[in-house]
Amino acid sequence: MHWFESQLAELDRLAAAYSAAQRQPSDDLVGTSASLRTKRGEFIGALQTLVDGVVRIKGIDACAAYHEGLILASAGQLPHADALGALIEDSIGVARDSSAILKLGDIEQLVIVGSASKVAVLNIGPVVLCIACPKTTNLAAALSEPVKAKR
């Protein structure tokens, strides 16, 4: 398993732990609230670590993570990052509708390719990860490489 896959697996684990904590009935409101904040903080911290690592990969300019159109973590230079979240949320809605009509299954990713750059949009549990890079970057190959300092 390479770095990116291991980070995604850790995010899945933390998201499941946070989700389970949200469903736990409790008479201890203060303790439950503190536990939820801790689990949410662990998830957001791991998400920021992922985003920071992705932008250190050669050929990737920026990365941001969104939930329901709101930015949770970002790194690199992503123009109009806040607006992109809302646009991506709308795009995913259209993609889900199209996927249902075409019987494609759950949407895993979208790629928007322009004449100079592209943005890959990956569904990761409750989060949408956007990766911006030059059009010529092979994202699958780039994301399978170990994370190292950019040159």
Side-chain angles (χ1 to χ4, degrees):
M1 178 182 301
H2 54 72
W3 175 84
F4 188 70
E5 287 177 330
S6 68
Q7 294 294 303
L8 295 182
E10 177 65 3
L11 278 177
D12 282 342
R13 186 189 68 75
L14 292 170
Y18 177 53
S19 181
Q22 288 176 308
R23 293 188 302 270
Q24 291 295 326
S26 176
D27 293 332
D28 179 13
L29 186 59
V30 173
T32 300
S33 179
S35 175
L36 281 173
R37 280 193 307 277
T38 299
K39 298 223 182 290
R40 182 176 53 241
E42 290 170 350
F43 178 76
I44 298 296
L47 193 57
Q48 187 65 56
T49 297
L50 170 71
V51 166
D52 290 341
V54 167
V55 297
R56 288 198 327 256
I57 297 170
K58 185 179 177 187
I60 296 179
D61 297 328
C63 184
Y66 300 90
H67 175 68
E68 295 181 356
L70 300 174
I71 195 163
L72 298 176
S74 68
Q77 297 299 314
L78 188 63
H80 310 291
D82 288 329
L84 179 61
L87 294 170
I88 293 302
E89 192 66 27
D90 283 347
S91 298
I92 287 178
V94 170
R96 284 185 182 129
D97 292 346
S98 300
S99 179
I101 292 167
L102 298 171
K103 298 180 182 4
L104 299 177
D106 293 337
I107 294 295
E108 294 179 1
Q109 64 179 307
L110 300 171
V111 180
I112 302 168
V113 181
S115 60
S117 300
K118 64 184 169 188
V119 175
V121 180
L122 311 171
N123 271 334
I124 303 170
V127 174
V128 174
L129 188 69
C130 297
I131 302 171
C133 62
K135 179 181 178 179
T136 57
T137 298
N138 180 330
L139 274 175
L143 293 172
S144 68
E145 293 293 319
V147 173
K148 52 189 166 203
K150 272 190 176 178
R151 296 178 188 169

